Amino acid sequence: EVHLVESGGGFVQAGGSLRLSCTGSGFTFGNAAIGWFRQVPGKEREGVSCIATAHGDTYYADSTKGRFAISSDNAKKTVYLEMNNLKDDDTAVYYCAVEERVKSAVSACVGGLEVWGQGVSVTVSA
């Protein structure tokens, strides 16, 4: 059974930084697309950043380019999302998601993925 555990959410002032972690089990970590998505009540879910772990292909939403960085540690089966220069618009619940054998980070973030974590809350105060 695929299982994802997210951590690292919290409260931060605008301009600050947070690092989210997503540790997976129950799937072939090195041959999957893993991504971070966020959702605010009343708005559509947004693909924030995704990575295809087989070759490191990455995708970033326009709103996060230059501020967020996604990386994977295949040995630890963990994907990180480093979020810098946070803005109040980044406030949301962030979800980690995964699907095996997806090679494209773009299609992962745009199309969504198969298995989802519980989500962590990120609140940025202006």
Side-chain angles (χ1 to χ4, degrees):
E1 181 183 359
V2 176
H3 192 52
L4 299 171
V5 177
E6 302 131 318
S7 63
F11 294 86
V12 65
Q13 288 190 328
S17 299
L18 282 174
R19 188 175 79 160
L20 305 182
S21 299
C22 174
T23 300
S25 61
F27 63 96
T28 305
F29 191 91
N31 187 23
I34 301 174
W36 288 96
F37 299 76
R38 65 187 179 189
Q39 189 154 28
V40 175
K43 292 188 177 181
E44 288 191 4
R45 183 187 68 200
E46 177 187 19
V48 174
S49 182
C50 293
I51 186 167
T53 58
H55 48 73
D57 180 40
T58 59
Y59 165 90
Y60 295 94
D62 286 344
S63 59
T64 67
K65 285 179 181 175
R67 299 188 299 121
F68 290 12
I70 192 169
S71 61
S72 69
D73 184 332
N74 288 9
K76 294 182 178 180
K77 298 187 177 181
T78 300
V79 167
Y80 304 98
L81 184 68
E82 188 76 37
M83 305 187 294
N84 300 308
N85 191 21
L86 283 160
K87 305 176 181 180
D88 53 2
D89 285 349
D90 295 317
T91 295
V93 176
Y94 285 70
Y95 297 89
C96 177
V98 65
E99 187 167 333
E100 287 188 276
R101 295 180 293 278
V102 173
K103 305 295 187 185
S104 167
V106 173
S107 63
C109 261
V110 172
L113 296 170
E114 193 171 59
V115 181
W116 295 80
Q118 295 286 81
V120 291
S121 178
V122 171
T123 303
V124 183
S125 61

